């Protein structure tokens, strides 16, 4: 009898140890994710945003979540990245919302509307003070995605051109690379918007296929555009938003403690990381002036007022696309009223 009790006790202990070991193994299991980037690894978007975020997640999870970044086109083309992520072809992506505004109208607002966020401060306030982040979580969830982080980039975002453009009148007839709602904005200004992948701008500018681009001043250095672009029109019309989105199935497969960690900390960490990008853009502007003799021009107050007047109807047109679009635009308007800009 004693022998039977002893055996039962030994079996119970063994089972308990197996259960504990099983829990520990599940908890310590290394999860490997694939990240499809829409920007080249040689550029600041990957170097100053994606890579530091990957490193933070690796450290914060004690190596339990490991992310491998893939160059544009490696797992999906830039144009197909959003849809491929929805399908689960990979686990997450670094995305510029302007690339998929046709598939998801809210993305045209998520990228930032012209004159809506003119600095990182206003964008961050929209995100966390006025509810833009929570709204986008709901919007992306409808597409089988988790809106994990938004990077308020604090960009210098204007129009670089091969020939002088110092006033709105100079834009008429110019072929300018732009995507999303920015393309509509350029059309209102009299330019001809042209859609091109970011990494194709240099040759298009050099060959005269386009006359300029509406995008970050950082591209003057990172993309070597300063070799062919000698003029850049200010002020900044958009702080610019890039995001990380996660396939919902991959997200749900994560242990709860990792999901909680990412939910609670990652959005704020992204804001801190994005501050380094803002500094890089300022440095790029200085280098473009000093090394390449790029001339920066600023629209007159009258032209700025005219441009803003042209932009507001585009906000309203974007707002009409869905109830969530209206909520998003209302948040941007509320932010600007709070800051005394509307």
């Amino acid at each position: 009898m004693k022998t039977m009790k002893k055996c039962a006790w030994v079996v119970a202990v063994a089972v308990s140890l197996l259960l504990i070991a099983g829990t520990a193994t599940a908890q310590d299991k290394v999860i490997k994710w694939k990240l499809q980037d829409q920007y080249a690894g040689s550029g600041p978007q990957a170097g100053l945003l994606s890579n530091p975020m990957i490193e933070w997640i690796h450290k914060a999870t004690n190596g339990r979540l490991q992310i491998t970044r893939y160059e544009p086109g490696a797992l999906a083309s830039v144009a197909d990245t959003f849809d491929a992520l929805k399908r689960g072809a990979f686990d997450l992506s670094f995305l510029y919302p302007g690339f998929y505004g046709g598939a998801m109208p809210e993305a045209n607002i998520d990228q930032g509307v012209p004159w809506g966020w003119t600095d990182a401060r206003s964008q961050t306030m929209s995100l966390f003070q006025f509810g833009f982040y929570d709204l986008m979580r709901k919007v992306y969830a409808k597409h089988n995605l988790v809106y994990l982080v938004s990077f308020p980039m604090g960009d210098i975002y204007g129009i670089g051109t091969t020939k002088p453009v110092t006033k709105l009148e100079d834009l008429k007839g110019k072929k300018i690379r732009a995507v999303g709602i920015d393309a509509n904005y350029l059309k209102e200004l009299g330019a001809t918007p042209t859609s091109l992948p970011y990494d194709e701008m240099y040759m298009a500018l050099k060959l005269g296929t386009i006359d300029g681009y509406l995008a970050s001043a950082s591209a003057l250095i990172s993309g070597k555009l300063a070799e062919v672009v000698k003029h850049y029109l200010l002020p900044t019309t958009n702080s610019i938003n890039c995001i990380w989105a996660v396939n919902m199935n991959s997200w749900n497969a994560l242990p709860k403690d990792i999901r909680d960690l990412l939910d609670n900390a990652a959005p704020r960490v992204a804001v801190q990381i994005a501050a380094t990008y803002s500094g890089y853009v300022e440095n790029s502007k200085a280098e473009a002036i000093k090394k390449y003799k790029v001339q920066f021009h600023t629209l007159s107050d009258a032209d700025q007022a005219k441009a803003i007047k042209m932009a507001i109807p585009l906000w309203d047109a974007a707002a009409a696309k869905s109830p969530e679009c209206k909520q998003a635009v209302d948040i941007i308007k509320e932010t600007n009223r709070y800051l005394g800009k509307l």
Side-chain angles (χ1 to χ4, degrees):
M1 187 71 176
K2 287 183 178 180
T3 302
M4 289 180 65
K5 286 184 177 180
K6 184 176 181 180
C7 287
W9 181 82
V10 170
V11 170
V13 170
V15 170
S16 297
L17 289 172
L18 284 171
L19 288 172
I20 293 171
T23 303
T25 302
Q27 195 76 351
D28 295 336
K29 179 183 176 183
V30 174
I31 301 157
K32 295 185 177 182
W33 272 8
K34 295 178 180 179
L35 182 154
Q36 175 63 75
D37 208 328
Q38 286 193 319
Y39 291 93
S42 58
Q45 293 87 353
L48 297 175
L49 299 173
S50 274
N51 289 343
M53 199 73 200
I54 291 171
E55 184 180 351
W56 175 80
I57 288 175
H58 185 267
K59 289 181 179 178
T61 62
N62 292 318
R64 290 167 59 205
L65 179 54
Q66 297 182 4
I67 299 170
T68 301
R69 180 192 161 276
Y70 290 83
E71 285 288 294
L75 305 177
S77 68
V78 171
D80 189 47
T81 297
F82 178 73
D83 287 333
L85 179 62
K86 289 166 58 176
R87 296 193 303 266
F90 33 85
D91 304 287
L92 75 160
S93 293
F94 180 92
L95 298 168
Y96 174 58
F99 287 141
Y100 48 91
M104 190 183 91
E106 295 83 3
N108 287 310
I109 305 162
D110 190 24
Q111 77 171 69
V113 294
W115 299 93
W117 297 319
T118 55
D119 54 36
R121 177 190 61 174
S122 58
Q123 184 180 347
T124 303
M125 289 175 66
S126 283
L127 281 167
F128 302 115
Q129 184 173 338
F130 294 103
F132 195 90
Y133 177 84
D134 292 337
L135 175 61
M136 288 300 112
R137 289 277 289 205
K138 295 175 183 176
V139 168
Y140 279 73
K142 293 181 180 181
H143 295 266
N144 197 41
L145 299 174
V146 174
Y147 189 86
L148 183 57
V149 302
S150 170
F151 295 99
M153 294 164 68
D155 218 331
I156 297 174
Y157 202 81
I159 302 172
T161 54
T162 54
K163 296 179 180 178
V165 171
T166 62
K167 55 187 183 296
L168 291 182
E169 184 70 23
D170 296 337
L171 285 169
K172 289 189 176 177
K174 295 285 193 301
K175 292 175 288 184
I176 309 293
R177 180 265 184 191
V179 296
I181 195 170
D182 284 331
N184 296 332
Y185 171 63
L186 281 174
K187 191 179 292 185
E188 289 296 317
L189 297 182
T192 302
T194 303
S195 180
L196 278 176
Y198 202 80
D199 297 329
E200 294 180 17
M201 289 194 296
Y202 181 91
M203 286 306 299
L205 287 160
K206 186 175 183 178
L207 296 173
T209 307
I210 57 175
D211 301 304
Y213 76 101
L214 174 55
S216 175
S218 68
L220 293 168
I221 302 303
S222 64
K224 299 182 180 180
L225 299 190
E227 294 177 3
V228 288
V229 169
K230 296 302 176 182
H231 301 272
Y232 197 91
L233 188 63
L234 297 171
T236 287
T237 57
N238 192 352
S239 169
I240 287 302
N241 185 39
C242 284
I243 72 160
W244 265 20
V246 181
N247 176 270
M248 187 71 75
N249 298 329
S250 297
W251 176 260
N252 289 335
L254 286 175
K256 184 177 183 303
D257 67 307
I258 293 182
R259 291 201 309 269
D260 290 344
L261 169 69
L262 296 179
D263 262 340
N264 294 328
R268 271 68 179 179
V269 171
V271 173
Q272 293 175 317
I273 288 173
T276 62
Y277 180 89
S278 179
Y280 170 82
V281 177
E282 290 288 348
N283 179 264
S284 297
K285 177 186 175 185
E287 184 176 346
I289 293 170
K290 185 176 181 180
K291 184 176 178 180
Y292 295 97
K293 310 303 179 188
V294 175
Q295 298 180 50
F296 282 75
H297 314 283
T298 300
L299 286 175
S300 66
D301 290 345
D303 265 358
Q304 289 185 44
K306 184 178 179 181
I308 293 171
K309 188 176 181 180
M310 290 179 176
I312 299 298
L314 296 176
W315 299 14
D316 296 332
K321 295 294 177 68
S322 75
E324 291 80 7
C325 283
K326 185 178 185 307
Q327 291 177 57
V329 169
D330 285 347
I331 286 171
I332 293 174
K333 287 182 176 181
E334 186 179 5
T335 303
N336 279 280
R337 280 194 292 267
Y338 181 84
L339 294 172
K341 295 181 180 180
L342 279 182

